[in-house]
Amino acid sequence: MAKMEVKTSLLDNMIRVGDMVLLEPLSEETFINNLKRRFDYNEIYTYIGSVVISVNPYRSLPIYSPEKVEDYRNRNFYELSPHIFALSDEAYRSLRDQDKDQCILITGESGAGKTEASKLVMSYVAAVCGKGAEVNQVKEQLLQSNPVLEAFGNAKTVRNDNSSRFGKYMDIEFDFKGDPLGGVISNYLLEKSRVVKQPRGERNFHVFYQLLSGASEELLDKLKLERDFSRYNYLSLDSATVNGVDDAANFRTVRNAMQIVGFMDHEAESVLEVVAAVLKLGNIEFKPESRVNGLDESKIKDKNELKEICELTSIDQSVLERAFSFRTVEAKQEKVSTTLNVAQAYYARDALAKNLYSRLFSWLVNRINESIKAQTKVRKKVMGVLDIYGFEIFEDNSFEQFIINYCNEKLQQIFIELTLKEEQEEYIREGIEWTHIDYFNNAIICDLIENNTNGILAMLDEECLRPGTVTDETFLEKLNQVCATHQHFESRMSKCSRFLNDTSLPHSCFRIQHYAGKVLYQVEGFVDKNNDLLYRDLSQAMWKAGHALIKSLFPEGNPAKINLKRPPTAGSQFKASVATLMKNLQTKNPNYIRCIKPNDKKAAHIFSEALVCHQIRYLGLLENVRVRRAGYAFRQAYEPCLERYKMLCKQTWPHWKGPARAGVEVLFNELEIPMEEYSFGRSKIFIRNPRTLFKLEDLRKQRLEDLATLIQKIYRGWKCRTRFLLMKKSQIVIAAWYRRFAQKKRYHQIKSSALVIQSYIRGWKARKILRELKHQKRCEEAVTTIAAYWHGTQARRELKRLKEEARRKHAVAVIWAYWLGLKVRREYRKFFRANAGKKIYEFTLQRIMQKYFLEMKNKMPSLSPIDKNWPSRPYLFLDSTHKELKRIFHLWRCKKYRDQFTDQQKLIYEEKLEASELFKDKKALYPSSVGQPFQGAYLEINKNPKYKKLKDAIEEKIIIAEVVNKINRANGKSTSRIFLLTNNNLLLADQKSGQIKSEVPLVDVTKVSMSSQNDGFFAVHLKEGSEAASKGDFLFSSDHLIEMATKLYRTTLSQTKQKLNIEISDEFLVQFRQDKVCVKFIQGNQKNGSVPTCKRKNNRLLEVAVP
């Protein structure tokens, strides 16, 4: 399918027929041809209604990716191509949304892909259900139970490299949201005879080979095993290795899966010890010996193997050896002990190996159930997955094939009943009249086998319990007497004369006509296999084992619980299990997967029609199709039906406005489909004959072709019209650009010519004007010279006159001004006040101040406290005002800056300020500490689990926690200690253990001494006579001296209301026990770089060399 193609129906792009119900004509040949054609195109899934047929491709196909899971998630069953994911999604959604318990029945013969199908179902459900740590753990345990069960229950056969040799039914339990809660596994009829004997070309169970290939040498020695397969009689050598199978890697996978499922280490070891014991049982051999009374008895040839088995299982060697040589029979109060001959000893050995392995497998299933069972007791929804043998018809069919085929008869019976029931319920739900459907009812065959009085299993049990000589021949004689007249039973020795001369029916056989065909059963071994007898001596020997697991596997061996009643036979046990399984399946909504093997070569691309035909017959697939087609072959909801076929009617195309059912009625009336070919249900249209559906599909295909032609025509017209309009637009643009270019070129030519002409004319005119101007200039210059001399003479005369006149006028004006001033002063003197000059001064001064402040407003510096810029003063008399304004502005912006601080920052700056007052210009180390923030809790004691004990011991708030070097009083060497300062105490603790070494109340601290140099040494002086001062003062070295001294000073001041004395001197006295020692700081070159060193010179002097 193309990448952009969207598939909305099963009928789209269908290779032949995706649903066998639509196959026309229906016959065995057309059925097989349809499967083969789809198989050739890698379409391995086909439907029969809601049943999925799966053909094993014997290769990996890219159809199980996460993208495929999303494609089929929450989609209608018939919406996409047939797929196992579609059935899984339908079952899961029915369980989650409709609250219906589901079961998925997977059947088919060995090699058909049943186990892989069950894995795909479980992986799909795990992918689409909820997520979460707890849900993921449940899903992982459910999925990882498969590798464990496959290792112990699967084996290589001629038909399948991973054949399940047991039937498995798993109930997966979900909560109301659809999330998995757990599961329960039931197993049926493990083929335990494979433990002691395998057909040619086949292997024993996988776990034996995986253990020998993947176990370490240490583990093999512990289990007393060797890696060579040929050392063990129970392992066939011709198929010991399988191409493409890595037993060693699989062993590691199984061990990991056991751990995920929940097996404890000692449980896994116990299981492997039992497996090793079974392997070694096959190596025990017997030899005959004659007793005095003439009876034969058996003895073990080599007791070394027996000894190793006893060591593995913790059994007394003599007890197990006797159990292999004698048999005790109890009847009421009597006990009879008889010897076993060689044949009976080998039978006892093999019976023990089979029972031991079979019970171990059952224990494994129960142990897995304990781990994966739902932990909550809320109401659960259940999805069952049944992976069981298909119908088996071999050349030699024995007891195992008989009960397997009996189980398949029961499954076929419930399949037909539930299928008919489902059909009938849908017809009633849709209001369609139900018509009786004729089909083959195999209840008569089931009754032949399971009838409690004269059924084959009942007669076999009766024969096994009958006293006297019981053989397979006596059982066959009884069958010939009771079942001779049954129409599905055939025997050459029966009373029915029609089989007397049937050479295809040997004398020691009987034949049953099953629903899938006739099967010939060899009666040899029926009685022994049904008895499944294990001698009581062996059971008791196993119960006496010191191995806890083996002892739990044989509870009947307990002498206190001896039961003389015979245990139930294998046939009756299996019959009861099948009855329980059928009862369980009938309470759930069934979903079927029929697996088919395309060839016996386990090769890809090979489709054997004869083999497939054989499987189709015994799976009853044609019968299934006929039952499905007996009423209406096809049904579909009105909405998708109308959506698919609405283009066939003008009234419904392209959109139908009314109800979908009315649209479908209009559509079918328009197409003139006969009324008897379809019926209208409440929500679906039912089509009786596939030919009608194919006719609709042909009409739809033709109509789609017509619509495609119409779309192509419209598209081509639109494309040509668009291209024409584009070319037209392009032509106009090109023409416009060309005309512009031509006109521009012509304009430039005209302009160039005009400029040349203009230049010549302007030159001629300029030369003419120049000549005229030169002549005029010469004339004007002569007149100007004469006029200039005349005007000069006149001007000098007039100037002289004006000066004389001005002198006279000025004298008059001065005299008049003085007179007017005198007159005004005399007139207005009485109106002037004495303070007029003061007011003028104040007014002038106010105007100057206003101008000053307005200029200051525009020249203000930034709000940064460290900005030292300030405008210069404009007037000298404003000098003090100018300085005061500068001080007030600086204080204001400092306050604004401080208001931005949090309480924590204020505390830090207060500490920094305190440190500045204490150490600035006094301690050389102070400048380097200014840029370092005071953190206090450098060790993060509350977060570090190493100091949990120390944190629990201190109830007060920790102000500072730092690692310091405590100077030893004796030799001057340093020891790392944790320095802790709380509200009331100063504590020292061991850095490694966190144990408190010293605790000093702050009231006992009198002084802190340090040098003025660039070092981290400081002394803490204690009050004389106090308990803390018994060993003297403390001398420390720290990288955070300034911070520690500041915090100690502030905390002491806060608690004692007294200032702590901080002494800064290059020499100070320290009290060490009873002696006063002088600590002296000197300059010196250090060998270890820039680190100060301390050295004790004598009893009274301690020198600290500072670089």
Side-chain angles (χ1 to χ4, degrees), residues 83-147:
H83 202 290
I84 195 171
F85 286 170
L87 180 136
S88 304
D89 186 74
E90 184 78 11
Y92 176 70
R93 285 192 293 117
S94 297
L95 176 136
R96 182 191 63 192
D97 302 336
Q98 302 176 20
D99 205 18
K100 292 181 179 179
D101 288 349
Q102 303 289 317
C103 65
I104 299 176
L105 281 68
I106 307 172
T107 56
E109 72 172 46
S110 179
K114 300 188 298 299
T115 302
E116 288 302 317
S118 66
K119 290 180 185 177
L120 290 172
V121 170
M122 293 178 64
S123 63
Y124 179 85
V125 172
V128 300
C129 63
K131 301 293 187 290
E134 187 173 343
V135 173
N136 288 338
Q137 181 183 2
V138 173
K139 292 193 292 187
E140 187 68 14
Q141 285 185 336
L142 290 173
L143 293 175
Q144 290 299 325
S145 65
N146 281 326

Side-chain angles (χ1 to χ4, degrees), residues 536-551:
R536 183 171 289 124
D537 301 76
L538 289 171
S539 298
Q540 293 176 348
M542 293 296 105
W543 186 85
K544 293 177 182 177
H547 196 281
L549 176 56
I550 293 179
K551 186 170 185 176

Side-chain angles (χ1 to χ4, degrees), residues 491-509:
S491 174
R492 196 165 182 180
M493 302 300 293
S494 68
K495 299 177 182 178
C496 187
S497 59
R498 59 194 176 97
F499 301 116
L500 293 176
N501 298 320
D502 188 353
T503 56
S504 65
L505 187 59
H507 291 282
S508 61
C509 300

Side-chain angles (χ1 to χ4, degrees), residues 544-709:
K544 293 177 182 177
H547 196 281
L549 176 56
I550 293 179
K551 186 170 185 176
S552 67
L553 297 179
F554 293 88
E556 75 276 13
N558 187 352
K561 298 181 181 179
I562 291 179
N563 187 359
L564 299 180
K565 185 179 178 181
R566 287 179 63 110
T569 61
S572 60
Q573 290 181 24
F574 187 73
K575 177 182 173 182
S577 299
V578 169
T580 304
L581 175 63
M582 296 302 118
K583 185 177 179 180
N584 192 357
L585 295 179
Q586 285 176 339
T587 62
K588 296 179 174 61
N589 185 47
N591 303 272
Y592 298 94
I593 301 174
R594 305 297 204 184
C595 298
I596 292 179
K597 181 170 66 172
N599 60 78
D600 279 329
K601 298 179 181 179
K602 295 181 281 189
H605 306 294
I606 298 177
F607 190 92
S608 173
E609 295 186 10
L611 179 63
V612 173
C613 177
H614 168 72
Q615 295 173 80
I616 289 172
R617 287 175 182 172
Y618 78 66
L619 287 173
L621 299 183
L622 281 176
E623 185 76 12
N624 188 1
V625 178
R626 291 190 183 98
V627 170
R628 182 77 181 190
R629 288 179 56 165
Y632 292 90
F634 183 77
R635 69 287 315 263
Q636 190 175 26
Y638 289 121
E639 288 80 4
C641 180
L642 180 62
E643 184 67 26
R644 186 168 183 80
Y645 300 113
K646 63 182 180 180
M647 72 286 297
L648 301 180
C649 176
K650 293 181 179 179
Q651 300 179 48
T652 58
W653 177 259
H655 300 293
W656 173 256
K657 303 296 184 183
R661 173 171 177 167
V664 174
E665 291 178 355
V666 170
L667 175 64
F668 276 53
N669 290 334
E670 179 75 17
L671 296 176
E672 298 180 351
I673 298 176
M675 291 290 294
E676 62 273 9
E677 286 296 321
Y678 63 90
S679 291
F680 291 105
R682 291 189 176 90
S683 63
K684 296 180 181 179
I685 176 74
F686 287 76
I687 298 176
R688 187 178 300 278
N689 200 307
R691 285 192 298 271
T692 305
L693 180 64
F694 293 141
K695 178 183 177 183
L696 288 173
E697 284 296 312
D698 292 339
L699 291 174
R700 179 178 181 272
K701 184 177 180 181
Q702 182 61 41
R703 180 60 178 155
L704 287 177
E705 291 178 357
D706 296 340
L707 290 174
T709 303

Side-chain angles (χ1 to χ4, degrees), residues 138 141-142 171 173 180-185 261 365-377 380:
V138 173
Q141 285 185 336
L142 290 173
D171 267 337
E173 299 172 337
L181 296 173
V184 178
I185 300 173
V261 170
V365 173
N366 293 332
R367 179 63 183 82
I368 291 173
N369 285 337
E370 289 179 9
S371 295
I372 67 176
K373 67 181 179 181
Q375 301 300 321
T376 60
K377 295 184 179 180
K380 309 176 187 70

